[in-house]
Amino acid sequence: VSITATSDNTALIPNPTISFTHPNTSGTLVFKPNANQSGTAIITVTANALGPNNNTTVRNITVLVKGKPAAAGAISTATTTLCKVKNGVVFTVPTIANATNYNWSLPSGASIVSGANTRSITVNFNTTVNSHSVTIFGSNSNGCGNGAASGLLINFAAVPSTANAGPNQQICNNLTGLAANTPTVGTGAWTFCSTGLGSLSSTNTPNTNLQVVNNSTVTSVWSISNGVCPVSSSTVVVTNIFGSPSCNPDADFLADNLTPCVNTPVIYY
């Protein structure tokens, strides 16, 4: 007896191996699907008696190979350094073969706002972590396991302290001290917006001195920044009112007669 076996889809399943010794009544047929392949193949088994009548028996076996998701490819995004509070960040991975589900993992405080369970997602972040890997793996319902995961490390910068440039001021002389807040997160810096009307003694000290030209108004901006996060800014306006009566609280009008008679003029000087 001669037994052979062939596959009609050798890209999926190569021709099987037959192990049979005559006159045994049974043997083995072994095949192994090629890696990362799925689909259907028909295995044709032919038994030839090799006797005077040369009797031949043919059996067709349909084999369905269920696909296991391939390994996830590299994740891409615009930048791997983000602010801890950031909206609209897009992550994308190449199509994963044999995957019907795309399983993303994000840090605490992050949420997928569009594209969930697809290869491209949009994420809003409001997290407290300093770094975290965004990961993805493919899966399906075939029961053959999940595909290997891919990860991308994201670093996060803290949101800077909210800037407060201090109260607006009216001053009678040329010099005053500003009263901005000292940042607990980030670095503060002054920007002088009134060129030629005054000057700052320091651009990075919260309580720096500001010199203002007489009878002029200047605007200064205190900004706190930290890495890629949006800058927090606050404005203070300082007006020099030199010469104004309010600058001399002792100034007053004096009368030449505080007890005048009727029809007697009073002179103020």
Side-chain angles (χ1 to χ4, degrees):
V1 176
S2 172
I3 301 178
T4 60
T6 59
S7 168
D8 73 338
N9 185 356
T10 55
L12 176 64
I13 300 177
N15 290 328
T17 300
I18 297 291
S19 178
F20 173 78
T21 303
H22 183 76
N24 293 340
T25 58
S26 64
T28 59
L29 180 149
V30 179
F31 61 84
K32 181 180 180 181
N34 289 321
N36 300 321
Q37 300 295 317
S38 61
T40 302
I42 297 176
I43 305 299
T44 300
V45 181
T46 302
N48 193 316
L50 301 179
N53 297 325
N54 198 25
N55 293 332
T56 300
T57 301
V58 178
R59 295 287 186 271
N60 290 323
I61 305 169
T62 300
V63 178
L64 172 62
V65 178
K66 296 181 177 180
K68 177 181 178 179
I75 299 171
S76 60
T77 190
T79 177
T80 55
T81 301
L82 300 173
C83 190
K84 290 184 177 183
V85 177
K86 176 71 173 178
N87 292 337
V89 182
V90 177
F91 295 93
T92 303
V93 69
T95 299
I96 302 175
N98 299 319
T100 56
N101 301 304
Y102 288 75
N103 305 275
W104 293 91
S105 176
L106 303 169
S108 60
S111 60
I112 298 175
V113 294
S114 68
N117 200 34
T118 71
R119 72 181 193 89
S120 183
I121 59 173
T122 302
V123 180
N124 289 350
F125 288 94
N126 189 355
T127 186
T128 59
V129 301
N130 294 323
S131 64
H132 193 280
S133 287
V134 173
T135 62
I136 173 70
F137 68 87
S139 65
N140 58 34
S141 58
N142 290 341
C144 297
N146 299 324
S150 175
L152 181 66
L153 181 64
I154 304 297
N155 295 307
F156 295 95
V159 177
S161 301
T162 300
N164 184 346
N168 295 334
Q169 300 183 41
Q170 287 187 334
I171 61 175
C172 295
N173 53 28
N174 297 107
L175 193 65
T176 186
L178 299 180
N181 62 317
T182 300
T184 56
V185 176
T187 301
W190 285 104
T191 303
F192 193 64
C193 301
S194 303
T195 304
L197 299 179
S199 61
L200 293 163
S201 62
S202 171
T203 58
N204 54 21
T205 303
N207 58 348
T208 187
N209 289 327
L210 173 66
Q211 190 172 24
V212 182
V213 174
N214 286 344
N215 301 310
S216 299
T217 298
V218 299
T219 300
S220 296
V221 179
W222 177 240
S223 299
I224 301 176
S225 61
N226 189 43
V228 298
C229 291
V231 176
S232 176
S233 297
S234 176
T235 300
V236 61
V237 177
V238 178
T239 303
N240 183 317
I241 57 172
F242 178 81
S244 169
S246 60
C247 288
N248 186 359
D250 295 325
D252 200 353
F253 291 104
L254 299 178
D256 67 344
N257 187 355
L258 297 179
T259 58
C261 295
V262 176
N263 297 324
T264 301
V266 177
I267 300 173
Y268 287 88
Y269 57 90

